[in-house]
Amino acid sequence: MTDTGDDNIEQVEQAPPEPIERAVPIDPGGRLRRWRAPLGIFALLLVTFTTWTIGMPLFTSPDEAAHLYKAYGTAHFEALGEAQPDQSTNIRLFDVPARMGTPDLRCYFGFPSLPADCAVGSAGVTVSTASVYPPFWYAIVGGAARAVGQDTHQRVYRFISAMLCALLIAMAFESARRSRAATLSPLLLIGLTPMTVFLAGTLNPNGFEVAGFMLAWSLCLHLGHPRAATVGGGLIAGGLVAALLLSRFASVVWVAAGALTVAALIGIAGIRQLGRRFFVPVLGCTVAAVAALAAWSAYSNVNVNDSRTASDWSRGRVVRHTLSTLPDLSEQMIGVLGWLDTPLPAIVHWLFAAFTVVVLAGVALCRDGRVIATAAVVVAALVIVPVGINVVSAPTAGLIWQGRYSLPMYAAFGVIGMLAWQRVLDRTEHRRPLAGALRYGACAVFIVAEVVAFWQALRRYTVGVGGTGGTGGANDPVWLSGSLPWQPDVAPMLLLAINAAAVTGLCAVILRSTATARPHAPR
């Protein structure tokens, strides 16, 4: 991206963005050494996600049963399911083995003080509320589970979904490592909130969506490079946009908001530099994906009507209520796990709040009009989109927005923080200490928040946490050993140790792989 420094913004717009330099030179020792860092990041992310895959009881991720049956059905060429009498056309029955049906989860859902041991057996009902969702993600996950002959085991579906998320996020870090702001790539960890990791380790296309957007944001670091303004660059960007559009209907909103964000970031000069060779394949892939979504919607008879939750509130009241709940939605975005019944300790939220403040402080100090405008677009989207969606959905389906839906846009703060603080580093004489504080501080926040969140989640399902607030009580076990009411297949404390080791190793690889990148001096 163009380093604007203190220059007038209008003057900057007249010149195309300067190419991003390669911060980490190619290792002449061979391809294996060159890819050692991204492979290590992928492996450690996968281990981290897998601890959640194993440690969380079945069906504890939002609508996980619905996504499981949709994935199984899609892999067995039943992409839509069978409509049910007196039910919304969105709710359909899939031909899934009865043993995969859910037990009665109401015995502990909504009651964080109760462990998960009461949910036993199977009700044999395999109805999915996700039946009309686009089949793209379900075909990949369900098809892979069927290909390995394990399509009746839920945790296999979880593991495959975790692999997809780990791959996309590892690619995001590799993209950041090859950028001019490589030394600040640990700031991308802001996108890995406990809610993101929880979704990535269970079965929900929301996790894939967040991971895909993390990669998309990191690719923005290279839009000023000559290789971006090519057909190949356009196909990469367009293919990723198409995959995101086809993963969830909600991605349409974030892709549109993301396009505005990128336009603010690169400016008119940057858009012109990318040119037709880039935009033709991008727009082609996007139009094809939108057409496919429209065709699927018509075929599946998608609707958003649900008389059980529809609201008769006025638009003004919906707007006021949604604005008043933005703090709660932000808390959900960082981490209110399960079916919004497992709050995390306050330290987790304070850590990510501090992380966000650090990013915004960099924006305030960077003196770069484009970066400031980009951050403003992101903040505005995080406020406007929940309000707008609730206004549209209230009369037919109620106020549907949850905090986790905002994670794709929140993840943009990682790249915004990198660009902003790189501008600050370019002007300061104390680049190395400041860069070190940002790098190690980001890793410390992520490690502590992840380990505390995973520990709390394990406590919630194995022994329950005290009271209705989910914050624990004086008599709640902290050391999860011995005979527990519910226990995962791997001992909880061993899982916790593996989780802590994996996230610590992940940060070590990220820091080590960018250690040779030096904060650039002013030009």
Side-chain angles (χ1 to χ4, degrees):
M1 310 307 301
T2 305
D3 191 351
T4 63
D6 296 325
D7 295 338
N8 185 276
I9 299 302
E10 295 180 357
Q11 295 176 342
V12 174
E13 290 290 349
Q14 298 173 2
E18 85 181 27
I20 293 179
E21 300 175 2
R22 191 181 188 86
V24 181
I26 296 177
D27 186 347
R31 293 183 178 180
L32 182 60
R33 292 181 61 184
R34 187 188 314 169
W35 290 100
R36 184 167 51 191
L39 288 174
I41 291 172
F42 167 75
L44 290 165
L45 281 169
L46 184 57
V47 172
T48 301
F49 298 160
T50 301
T51 58
W52 289 85
T53 293
I54 297 171
M56 298 298 98
L58 300 180
F59 309 114
T60 51
S61 181
D63 301 312
E64 190 166 24
H67 299 308
L68 174 66
Y69 304 147
K70 170 76 171 180
Y72 181 94
T74 303
H76 290 79
F77 309 104
E78 185 190 15
L80 195 55
E82 180 183 347
Q84 298 299 290
D86 302 322
Q87 290 276 13
S88 166
T89 55
N90 294 346
I91 302 174
R92 295 171 177 264
L93 178 69
F94 282 86
D95 185 14
V96 178
R99 65 180 180 276
M100 294 176 66
T102 61
D104 186 0
L105 302 171
R106 292 172 298 179
C107 65
Y108 74 92
F109 275 21
F111 303 101
S113 61
L114 301 178
D117 60 316
C118 61
V120 295
S122 170
V125 178
T126 54
V127 170
S128 174
T129 56
S131 60
V132 298
Y133 288 14
F136 170 74
W137 177 82
Y138 299 94
I140 296 175
V141 176
R146 187 178 184 185
V148 298
Q150 299 293 323
D151 56 349
T152 60
H153 299 280
Q154 184 197 4
R155 295 192 197 277
V156 173
Y157 290 82
R158 283 182 172 184
F159 182 75
I160 293 167
S161 177
M163 287 185 65
L164 290 174
C165 293
L167 177 62
L168 292 171
I169 296 171
M171 292 170 66
F173 276 101
E174 178 62 10
S175 173
R177 189 177 74 94
R178 293 170 179 265
S179 74
R180 180 174 180 267
T183 190
L184 297 172
S185 58
L187 294 180
L188 289 183
L189 291 168
I190 197 172
L192 290 178
T193 70
M195 177 58 82
T196 299
V197 179
F198 170 70
L199 292 169
T202 52
L203 189 65
N204 194 306
N206 200 175
F208 175 85
E209 179 190 33
V210 178
F213 268 93
M214 287 187 67
L215 174 57
W217 295 127
S218 72
L219 292 177
C220 293
L221 294 166
H222 300 276
L223 288 177
H225 195 283
R227 290 184 181 178
T230 62
V231 173
L235 287 173
I236 292 173
L240 180 57
V241 168
L244 291 170
L245 287 170
L246 294 172
S247 65
R248 296 180 74 237
F249 285 122
S251 290
V252 175
V253 176
W254 291 129
V255 166
L260 293 176
T261 304
V262 174
L265 181 62
I266 65 176
I268 296 175
I271 294 173
R272 289 174 178 171
Q273 180 178 332
L274 289 172
R276 293 177 58 186
R277 296 182 67 192
F278 175 83
F279 282 111
V280 167
V282 168
L283 294 176
C285 292
T286 302
V287 170
V290 171
L293 273 181
W296 170 258
S297 298
Y299 169 72
S300 61
N301 191 25
V302 175
N303 67 76
V304 291
N305 298 323
D306 191 339
S307 59
R308 298 170 302 175
T309 57
S311 171
D312 60 357
W313 286 5
S314 67
R315 290 184 179 178
R317 186 176 179 184
V318 171
V319 171
R320 290 191 298 272
H321 175 80
T322 305
L323 290 175
S324 70
T325 59
L326 285 178
D328 295 330
L329 294 175
S330 299
E331 184 179 357
Q332 293 174 13
M333 184 174 63
I334 303 305
V336 180
L337 308 183
W339 287 64
L340 295 180
D341 63 356
T342 308
L344 299 178
I347 186 176
V348 174
H349 299 283
W350 282 112
L351 284 170
F352 269 90
F355 203 159
T356 307
V357 168
V358 167
V359 168
L360 294 178
V363 173
L365 294 171
C366 72
R367 303 178 188 174
D368 187 320
R370 292 183 188 174
V371 175
I372 294 171
T374 303
V377 171
V378 171
V379 172
L382 290 172
V383 174
I384 294 172
V385 170
V387 172
I389 295 297
N390 277 348
V391 167
V392 172
S393 67
T396 57
L399 281 64
I400 64 174
W401 196 263
Q402 296 183 26
R404 62 186 172 92
Y405 301 157
S406 297
L407 281 167
M409 185 57 71
Y410 178 74
F413 281 132
V415 166
I416 291 172
M418 290 177 63
L419 292 171
W421 280 107
Q422 184 62 55
R423 303 299 192 264
V424 176
L425 292 176
D426 285 345
R427 298 196 314 268
T428 183
E429 297 179 356
H430 306 287
R431 292 185 294 274
R432 191 180 298 276
L434 179 56
L438 292 167
R439 283 160 54 82
Y440 288 98
C443 288
V445 166
F446 171 67
I447 293 171
V448 174
E450 166 64 15
V451 173
V452 170
F454 188 52
W455 199 332
Q456 179 76 347
L458 286 172
R459 292 179 62 224
R460 184 264 182 269
Y461 294 113
T462 56
V463 298
V465 288
T468 58
T471 55
N475 297 322
D476 295 325
V478 174
W479 191 262
L480 305 175
S481 60
S483 178
L484 304 172
W486 180 85
Q487 185 161 313
D489 292 336
V490 177
M493 296 310 296
L494 177 58
L495 269 180
L496 182 64
I498 295 172
N499 178 274
V503 294
T504 303
L506 172 65
C507 287
V509 173
I510 293 171
L511 291 170
R512 181 180 177 86
S513 65
T514 55
T516 56
R518 297 290 186 263
H520 289 249
R523 293 170 178 264

